[in-house]
Amino acid sequence: MEPLFNSGAPKKPTNLSINSDLLRKCKAMNINLSATLEEALTELLAKQNQEKWAEENKNAIRAYNEFVEENGCFGDEFREF
């Protein structure tokens, strides 16, 4: 499976705007903003990639489900449960 992104790529300074109260409270709790943002963006990227894959493959998934409904699963004759 192909990784979501190159985790070894160099860091790039970026300017962001964030709610000042949220920022103050995060700093008070020693929350690493860069690491937190990277984690949140990674989760968002993974979710959107999953949704994109499902959309691109919905016809094949539907066709497979119809096949299984009509013919059963491959190997059903060997199933012992």
Side-chain angles (χ1 to χ4, degrees), residues 19-72:
N19 178 287
S20 59
D21 189 45
L22 177 61
L23 179 60
R24 180 183 56 78
K25 289 180 178 182
C26 287
K27 284 186 174 186
M29 299 293 288
N30 293 317
I31 294 173
N32 182 324
L33 296 177
S34 295
T36 302
L37 178 60
E38 283 189 2
E39 183 178 318
L41 290 174
T42 299
E43 290 174 10
L44 182 60
L45 183 61
K47 182 178 182 266
Q48 289 188 354
N49 278 348
Q50 291 169 352
E51 290 171 357
K52 180 182 175 194
W53 183 91
E55 178 64 27
E56 290 173 347
N57 291 282
K58 70 180 178 183
N59 291 336
I61 294 167
R62 184 179 31 65
Y64 175 76
N65 287 337
E66 289 172 1
F67 177 88
V68 169
E69 198 171 303
E70 292 174 18
N71 303 293

